[in-house]
């Protein structure tokens, strides 16, 4: 996908709650300096904390792309939003959307873009030509975040690791594999929308050959143990060819999201990831545990992390709550001097 021009103005539409604006929230959490403000329609119940601006004000502040930072059931584009999108195009802004509806499929939007030359970015529908995965060893270092389940913090962990590696003076790039990650990084593709035969090849494109001392930190998707999404997780594992992986876990969860399946143990995830990942990188290893302790108080969180670290002989931390220094140290040790 072509790089999305920055800065952004975030469009929240008229969403009914904060969860429906999670794309915008993720962008603000990690790339606030890329955002000039937010645009909300009457009745909007979400707020990213950014300044409310009009389209005209956003352009005056230097915005380049109008990002649809809201989601809804089915990923459809509401008719009510079309006027705002068209107005943004006429004002000189590109449009970026993570919805399933293609922007070009809406006549008013397509017509405005044709008149102005605006770029329409459909983040869930990449036009990038992809090949099947080859599994050929390529230079550079890669880390993949994997999960005991979906929605356990793989994206936030990857972003925190990129930031932590930079703080240690290491070369690192976050590699986005989901729609919010693409907005945060400005490039990448939503790998869950790739035709199955090309998932591994897409991962090879996302994290290509690089300098021997450069880390590509690849955003994980799904879980190898999730009945719905294991296929995506496996293709991403093979294509990203990770030298290291971090297991992401939510300790209070009892079953997998959206299905009647129990949660695998952390050790089962480690063993399965090594067994399957060895196909494209026999040297793959687990370097740490990223634990989402949001549901625990601080004392409980620290006890949980200490227990897991001792049980698995690996550093464990909550990247959001306690930082990633302990998770970065093994990666620094693996980096060629």
């Amino acid at each position: 996908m072509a790089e999305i021009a920055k800065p952004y103005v975030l469009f929240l539409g008229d969403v009914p709650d904060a969860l429906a604006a999670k794309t915008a929230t993720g962008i603000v959490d990690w790339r606030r300096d890329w955002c000039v403000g937010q645009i909300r329609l009457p009745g909007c119940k979400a707020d990213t904390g950014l300044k409310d601006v009009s389209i005209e004000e956003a352009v005056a502040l230097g915005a380049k792309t109008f990002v649809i930072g809201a989601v809804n059931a089915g990923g459809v584009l509401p008719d009510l939003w079309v006027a705002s999108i068209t107005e943004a195009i006429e004002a000189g802004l590109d449009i970026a959307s993570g919805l399933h509806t293609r922007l070009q499929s809406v006549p008013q939007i397509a017509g405005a873009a044709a008149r102005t030359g605006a770029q329409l970015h459909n983040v869930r529908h990449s036009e990038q030509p992809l090949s099947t995965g080859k599994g050929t060893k390529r230079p550079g270092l890669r880390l993949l975040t994997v999960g005991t389940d979906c929605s356990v913090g793989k994206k936030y962990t990857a972003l925190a690791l990129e930031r932590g590696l930079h703080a240690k003076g290491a070369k690192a790039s976050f590699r986005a594999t989901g729609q919010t990650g693409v907005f945060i990084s400005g490039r990448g593709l939503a790998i869950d929308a790739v035709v199955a035969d090309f998932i591994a090849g897409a991962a090879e494109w996302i994290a290509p050959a690089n300098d021997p001392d450069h880390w590509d930190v690849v955003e994980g998707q799904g879980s190898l143990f999730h009945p719905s999404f294991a296929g995506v997780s496996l293709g991403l594992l093979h294509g990203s060819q990770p030298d290291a992986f971090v297991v992401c876990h939510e300790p209070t969860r009892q079953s997998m999201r959206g299905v009647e399946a129990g949660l695998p143990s952390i050790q089962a995830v480690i063993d399965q990831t090594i067994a399957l990942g060895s196909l494209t990188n026999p040297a793959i290893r687990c370097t740490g545990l990223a634990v989402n302790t949001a549901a625990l108080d601080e004392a409980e969180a620290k006890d949980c992390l200490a227990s897991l670290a001792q049980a698995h002989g690996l550093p464990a931390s909550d990247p959001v709550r306690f930082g990633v220094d302990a998770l970065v140290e093994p990666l620094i040790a693996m980096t060629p001097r």
Side-chain angles (χ1 to χ4, degrees), residues 125-138:
H125 302 281
S126 174
E127 302 301 326
Q128 172 66 33
L130 298 170
S131 301
T132 56
K134 301 300 186 287
T136 304
K137 181 63 177 173
R138 55 197 190 274

Side-chain angles (χ1 to χ4, degrees):
M1 195 191 74
E3 185 163 348
I4 301 171
K6 301 175 286 289
Y8 301 155
V9 60
L10 304 181
F11 179 70
L12 277 59
D14 58 342
V15 296
D17 53 40
L19 185 60
K22 64 179 183 179
T23 295
T25 301
I27 296 170
V28 172
D29 282 348
W30 292 98
R31 298 291 189 259
R32 179 178 285 266
D33 57 324
W34 289 4
C35 306
V36 303
Q38 65 182 10
I39 294 173
R40 299 187 289 172
L41 297 178
C44 181
K45 297 297 192 299
D47 186 353
T48 66
L50 295 176
K51 178 183 178 182
D52 285 296
V53 296
S54 66
I55 290 172
E56 183 180 8
E57 289 169 336
V59 171
L61 289 168
K64 301 296 183 186
T65 302
F66 178 101
V67 173
I68 300 174
V71 297
N72 55 43
V76 298
L77 179 62
D79 292 340
L80 183 62
W81 297 1
V82 173
S84 296
I85 296 168
T86 304
E87 181 185 350
I89 294 171
E90 299 288 1
L93 296 175
D94 293 340
I95 309 296
S97 168
L99 299 172
H100 285 290
T101 301
R102 290 180 183 267
L103 294 166
Q104 291 89 338
S105 71
V106 181
Q108 300 96 308
I109 294 173
R115 289 192 301 273
T116 64
Q119 295 292 310
L120 301 179
H121 300 283
N122 296 287
V123 173
R124 299 207 44 107
H125 302 281
S126 174
E127 302 301 326
Q128 172 66 33
L130 298 170
S131 301
T132 56
K134 301 300 186 287
T136 304
K137 181 63 177 173
R138 55 197 190 274
L141 296 164
R142 279 163 292 280
L143 177 141
L144 177 66
T145 54
V146 304
T148 53
D149 193 10
C150 305
S151 303
V152 289
K154 295 183 290 292
K155 175 174 67 265
Y156 273 55
T157 296
L159 286 160
L161 287 171
E162 179 201 39
R163 183 178 290 175
L165 284 162
H166 287 167
K168 297 292 186 181
K171 301 175 186 176
S173 299
F174 169 73
R175 301 302 189 184
T177 62
Q179 61 184 38
T180 304
V182 172
F183 288 134
I184 291 169
S185 67
R187 71 181 299 277
L189 57 80
I191 204 159
D192 61 357
V194 173
V195 174
D197 276 357
F198 300 101
I199 293 174
E204 292 179 355
W205 175 80
I206 289 168
N210 216 315
D211 295 336
D213 61 346
H214 180 279
W215 282 97
D216 273 343
V217 185
V218 183
E219 174 192 7
Q221 295 293 329
S223 170
L224 289 172
F225 288 80
H226 198 291
S228 303
F229 311 118
V232 174
S233 305
L234 181 59
L236 180 56
L237 173 62
H238 286 157
S240 59
Q241 199 179 79
D243 301 279
F245 65 94
V246 169
V247 177
C248 302
H249 178 63
E250 208 286 355
T252 68
R253 198 170 295 179
Q254 299 299 311
S255 60
M256 290 197 152
R257 286 174 62 86
V259 294
E260 296 180 4
L263 214 65
S265 68
I266 289 174
Q267 191 59 52
V269 172
I270 293 172
D271 293 343
Q272 187 81 314
T273 302
I274 291 174
L276 297 173
S278 295
L279 177 68
T280 55
N281 189 348
I284 185 174
R285 68 176 102 164
C286 182
T287 58
L289 311 176
V291 186
N292 180 348
T293 64
L296 307 176
D297 66 32
E298 186 153 339
E300 291 172 332
K302 289 180 177 178
D303 287 346
C304 175
L305 293 171
S307 176
L308 290 174
Q310 181 176 23
H312 296 282
L314 292 165
S317 183
D318 181 326
V320 173
R321 197 172 195 173
F322 301 121
V324 292
D325 284 352
L327 302 178
V328 167
E329 287 177 6
L331 308 180
I332 297 297
M334 293 172 63
T335 306
R337 303 294 181 181

